[in-house]
Amino acid sequence: MYPPPLSAVEPCIRNPILEGADPWVIRYGDEYLWCFADGNRGVALHLGPNLHTPGVKRVVWTSPEAGPASRELRAPEIHHIGGRWHIYFAASDGDNRNHRAHVLVGEAEDPFGLYELKGPLYTGDDRRLTDGNRWAIDFTIHEHAGRLYGFWSGWEAEEDSQHLYAAPMADPTTVSGPRVRLSDNAVYEWERVEPGGRGLNEAPQPISHEGRLHLLFSASASWLPSYCVGRMELHGDDPLDASAWVKHPVPLLAPREDMPGVGHATAVRSPDGSQHWLVYHAKLDAVPGRARVVSIQPFSWHRGRPVVGRATAKVPCPRGSVTPDNRPDRRLDLSRPVADMHFLGHHQLLEFADDGVRLGRTPSQPANLFRSGEKLLLTDPTPSDLSLVVEFTTAADQRDVGVLFRTTEPTIGYDSQRGYFAGIIPADRRLLIGCTDGSTWRELASTHLDPAPDGRYRLEVVAVGDRLRASVGDTSVEAWDRTHQTGMVGLRVVDAEALFQHLEYRPAGP
């Protein structure tokens, strides 16, 4: 599982920045508006000032219990067209063969307002046929030379052979003509699912730059480490002229051993507008499957064409990112998210409620769920020498529950952060302090702790210089270590479930 060990050189961001698949993000005023599927049954938006830390999440639409758009919701994208918000996505009735493109139309200027479901959109060859519609996913819309076009990945017939298609659109909810297949899906070997086998193209993303129209797309299989991002360019004025599309012979974004299976890329500017960034998903590891995470990477343009290279685990902070507030002390009841919270873990393992925030509880109907040592960080700087208190409830059979402090370079993964952890392991009857370097765990000290009969704990941590101390009631443990001197504070569980009710910290002296 990536990422690999990292050096202590800073500043930087470690990829991945969050759990998720099929990322879509646009600028919305001075902020970023992200759009994701929520548990394959809804659409969630995030809004925040920085590209590398998506903001507070809100589910804006949940699918009906039954019908053609009730299951397998994938790849939503939000677009502002003609003064209204439109969210395009693929969904089915629970049978993958019935995947079709749908659109939600906003009823207000607020992207977090109410939406009306429209569709399915027509993605076939002949409207006159009663069964003429065809399988479609990854639908997107783009204006070129004053006209609207839809792009998507579809089956040629009633079989799994995915190609890229385009069609004219009369308006944001109406496909007005038959589809055009833009290219064969196995022009190059890197597009094939297996060597010499079938090709697979999906996730088209149109990008206009200096008068040229480019189409990014994903190739090979999303569940394999060979997944990559390709590029086509329109040589001419008509996106529906298949002969005018020229496919570049090498991938735009290629995977590597520690970042396998990269795909579904889109482009957005940095906060100050001076940089171009690619936002994409990657596999969590090389094992075939759909555990996926989101990463970002800057790219450049050369002679009107995008230049990216291989996926990178460590990238600079996007230019113009908002500087976190310097708050030396805070008190949070944890019943609702705040702007500087950043969750690293599967989104279905985070839940805010009136009595606090729950980390690690598996939902009754999970979708593509995986565990990764879930953590909820406060990204604002904290004092190097600090005293913090956290109150939480957990069961006697659970694993690690506690707090991170002096934490830097956090990303998804059990020990994928640099910093300290103090907490309890009820199942082992232990109170402990440990250290992580970005990929490995080192226990510094531990002591026996009897589980609380009611499962409620008040954990106090003091870090002054190289002295680290953790206490629960009358039981304490101390360690001396100077590996990490400064960083963020956060909550963490490791293969455990806990309800965190209160967190506070303040400066501490010798």
Side-chain angles (χ1 to χ4, degrees):
M1 185 178 295
Y2 76 94
L6 296 171
S7 70
V9 176
E10 295 179 306
C12 69
I13 295 166
R14 290 182 66 195
N15 279 321
I17 61 168
L18 76 161
E19 176 273 335
D22 308 329
W24 174 258
V25 58
I26 59 174
R27 293 289 283 163
Y28 176 55
D30 294 330
E31 297 186 288
Y32 289 95
L33 186 63
W34 293 76
C35 189
F36 286 104
D38 191 67
N40 290 353
R41 293 291 309 279
V43 176
L45 300 180
H46 298 242
L47 183 64
N50 289 323
L51 181 60
H52 59 290
T53 53
V56 175
K57 167 187 167 182
R58 190 185 308 174
V59 176
V60 295
W61 186 80
T62 301
S63 64
E65 286 300 315
S70 61
R71 297 289 188 275
E72 300 181 320
L73 192 153
R74 297 176 185 171
E77 297 186 1
I78 186 166
H79 297 256
H80 193 254
I81 310 169
R84 305 185 80 174
W85 291 101
H86 298 77
I87 299 177
Y88 298 88
F89 64 94
S92 76
D93 57 3
D95 184 345
N96 177 51
R97 292 176 300 177
N98 296 326
H99 254 114
R100 299 291 186 268
H102 301 262
V103 59
L104 299 170
V105 181
E107 297 181 2
E109 269 296 308
D110 181 5
F112 293 92
L114 297 176
Y115 286 86
E116 180 184 3
L117 176 64
K118 302 283 188 178
L121 301 180
Y122 181 73
T123 51
D125 300 302
D126 191 341
R127 284 182 177 276
R128 294 172 298 178
L129 301 176
T130 57
D131 61 347
N133 213 351
R134 289 289 181 261
W135 188 93
I137 63 169
D138 301 337
F139 193 97
T140 190
I141 193 168
H142 189 75
E143 182 178 332
H144 179 74
R147 295 190 62 187
L148 284 177
Y149 297 89
F151 297 83
W152 68 91
S153 176
W155 288 354
E156 282 193 276
E158 293 304 316
E159 60 182 28
D160 185 3
S161 179
Q162 282 180 246
H163 294 266
L164 301 180
Y165 291 91
M169 299 195 70
D171 56 58
T173 63
T174 308
V175 177
S176 56
R179 64 181 182 170
V180 174
R181 197 182 83 174
L182 300 183
S183 174
D184 184 76
N185 62 8
V187 176
Y188 299 105
E189 188 64 26
W190 49 266
E191 298 180 84
R192 300 180 186 272
V193 175
E194 60 277 322
R198 64 188 175 99
L200 196 160
N201 288 173
E202 59 186 6
Q205 285 294 328
I207 301 177
S208 295
H209 183 73
E210 295 181 348
R212 296 182 177 181
L213 180 60
H214 307 267
L215 190 68
L216 309 187
F217 64 95
S218 301
S220 187
S222 62
W223 59 91
L224 297 178
S226 57
Y227 201 48
C228 59
V229 178
R231 178 181 67 86
M232 294 196 295
E233 184 176 346
L234 181 65
H235 289 197
D237 297 323
D238 184 5
L240 301 180
D241 179 4
S243 65
W245 287 99
V246 177
K247 188 176 291 186
H248 195 62
V250 297
L252 176 71
L253 181 67
R256 59 187 218 185
E257 186 175 351
D258 63 332
M259 295 186 74
V262 296
H264 209 106
T266 188
V268 70
R269 293 290 188 103
S270 60
D272 68 357
S274 68
Q275 292 175 310
H276 296 266
W277 284 78
L278 203 67
V279 181
Y280 61 96
H281 72 214
K283 286 175 52 56
L284 188 66
D285 52 43
V287 178
R290 300 192 182 278
R292 290 176 288 190
V293 288
V294 176
S295 294
I296 62 174
Q297 183 164 327
F299 71 95
S300 59
W301 293 86
H302 179 67
R303 295 181 178 177
R305 296 177 173 86
V307 179
V308 182
R310 287 190 176 271
T312 304
K314 203 168 184 178
V315 297
C317 188
R319 293 176 189 161
S321 296
V322 175
T323 302
D325 293 332
N326 186 8
R327 292 187 259 193
D329 57 86
R330 298 181 73 176
R331 294 173 60 90
L332 298 172
D333 67 4
L334 301 178
S335 62
R336 61 185 61 85
V338 295
D340 70 315
M341 279 182 176
H342 185 36
F343 178 60
L344 291 161
H346 199 285
H347 70 275
Q348 294 173 87
L349 296 170
L350 172 70
E351 180 185 0
F352 286 92
D354 291 341
D355 54 352
V357 60
R358 191 176 299 276
L359 296 185
R361 181 164 67 180
T362 302
S364 59
Q365 295 181 325
N368 302 324
L369 194 67
F370 62 85
R371 299 303 301 265
S372 60
E374 293 75 37
K375 40 193 174 268
L376 183 64
L377 277 298
L378 295 171
T379 60
D380 282 353
T382 58
S384 297
D385 293 339
L386 58 77
S387 172
L388 67 87
V389 176
V390 63
E391 296 175 358
F392 59 87
T393 303
T394 191
D397 62 349
Q398 297 298 293
R399 301 298 303 173
D400 307 51
V401 179
V403 291
L404 294 165
F405 58 100
R406 294 184 180 175
T407 301
T408 58
E409 299 182 8
T411 186
I412 292 176
Y414 282 94
D415 299 316
S416 297
Q417 66 275 328
R418 298 172 54 83
Y420 297 110
F421 170 79
I424 65 170
I425 307 180
D428 292 349
R429 296 173 175 259
R430 284 202 296 154
L431 170 66
L432 76 163
I433 299 173
C435 175
T436 54
D437 64 2
S439 63
T440 59
W441 162 264
R442 176 166 58 97
E443 186 174 301
L444 300 176
S446 69
T447 191
H448 177 84
L449 178 70
D450 288 324
D454 61 357
R456 297 177 64 89
Y457 297 87
R458 176 183 170 90
L459 173 66
E460 301 182 31
V461 177
V462 178
V464 178
D466 60 356
R467 182 186 178 216
L468 314 174
R469 184 173 186 267
S471 304
V472 174
D474 296 330
T475 304
S476 299
V477 63
E478 286 190 341
W480 282 262
D481 190 87
R482 58 174 61 250
T483 305
H484 308 293
Q485 298 298 314
T486 187
M488 294 173 275
V489 161
L491 312 174
R492 181 193 187 207
V493 297
V494 178
D495 293 334
E497 176 187 334
L499 175 68
F500 294 87
Q501 293 113 342
H502 179 79
L503 172 68
E504 64 178 88
Y505 63 78
R506 61 182 184 277

